[in-house]
Amino acid sequence: TGGITLTAANSGTITTTGNGANAGGEVYVYNKASGNITLGKAITAKGGTGGGGGVVTVLNADTAGTIAVDAVIDVSKDGGGTDGSILLKAGSNITEGASGGVKGDSEGKLLAYSVGGKVLLDTTANNLMATAAFKTDTTLASTNNGTVTYKDNTGLTIGTVAAVGTLSSPSGGAAASTVGPLSGITTVAGTSNGAVVVQAGGLLTVDQAIATTPGTAGVGGAVTLEATTGGITLTAANSGTITTTG
């Protein structure tokens, strides 16, 4: 209880970078009860020279709890293996500060799931992921903001992100493996509270469905997709559909 803070003012970093051609170590940040998670310093789970990136899972189980990504989470490989995964889940808002970011550009996967709030990760320059999936369960009746906004500096695929965390809770709470899997983008709040905005700095590929149909009678959320270069593809081979049915 009480939340978790990596202090920005001092040296509250977490570094699990591999040594040699080995992967970065896994990180699990878990707030079991009341409070927020503030990542004010970097989490670095990079591969060593020739190694792949690690897995970083951040879970706030408080129904009103937030996750603030105010520094960069980096799961990049270093010349070998593959980039890792970043998985974020909170009861309320998942946001990003001016110095925040998520990094794993070549193969890195990002999942962000807010049960009762919004996902707002729009620090474009620091966001470099390859595949992403997003979800909010925020209802129309709650009148809360359940939007999804993500801006990436490079090419991006809206796809499937697996539950790859393996660490457990020391107190017997939820394990890292409970975060995921997730495919595409889903909101259910409808109207402006269920809108989706995705921007990519390269080819934007929609490989899994984007759906903003409200959970109860109402106007579907708007969907805005932009590629600043590279084009946009809704894949025919998979489920690259967009549905905003009211």
Side-chain angles (χ1 to χ4, degrees):
T1 186
I4 298 172
T5 299
L6 307 188
T7 60
N10 293 300
S11 301
T13 58
I14 298 174
T15 304
T16 62
T17 299
N19 190 345
N22 293 290
E26 184 174 348
V27 176
Y28 183 31
V29 179
Y30 172 42
N31 184 53
K32 187 176 180 180
S34 61
N36 299 318
I37 296 176
T38 302
L39 306 179
K41 281 290 188 178
I43 298 177
T44 306
K46 297 174 62 176
T49 304
V55 175
V56 175
T57 305
V58 183
L59 171 60
N60 194 338
D62 178 9
T63 56
T66 62
I67 296 174
V69 182
D70 291 338
V72 173
I73 303 173
D74 192 346
V75 294
S76 300
K77 65 183 180 182
D78 187 357
T82 60
D83 295 319
S85 295
I86 299 169
L87 306 103
L88 312 172
K89 183 178 179 181
S92 188
N93 298 332
I94 299 173
T95 59
E96 199 171 53
S99 297
V102 287
K103 187 176 181 182
D105 185 40
S106 296
E107 305 92 10
K109 296 189 175 183
L110 170 67
L111 179 158
Y113 177 12
S114 172
V115 178
K118 65 184 177 183
V119 173
L120 178 59
L121 302 172
D122 63 347
T123 307
T124 310
N126 294 338
N127 292 338
L128 302 97
M129 301 300 292
T131 301
F134 305 101
K135 184 179 182 181
T136 64
D137 286 340
T138 313
T139 64
L140 178 65
S142 74
T143 70
N144 290 338
N145 186 341
T147 57
V148 169
T149 302
Y150 179 67
K151 297 182 180 181
D152 195 282
N153 199 39
T154 57
L156 179 71
T157 296
I158 300 302
T160 298
V161 180
V164 290
T166 64
L167 298 179
S168 59
S169 159
S171 65
S177 60
T178 62
V179 182
L182 194 62
S183 293
I185 304 176
T186 303
T187 70
V188 294
T191 65
S192 59
N193 283 340
V196 169
V197 175
V198 177
Q199 175 184 305
L203 173 63
L204 175 55
T205 302
V206 180
D207 199 43
Q208 294 294 326
I210 298 175
T212 61
T213 302
T216 55
V219 177
V223 174
T224 303
L225 305 179
E226 178 181 320
T228 58
T229 185
I232 299 174
T233 299
L234 309 186
T235 61
N238 292 304
S239 301
T241 59
I242 298 175
T243 305
T244 63
T245 302

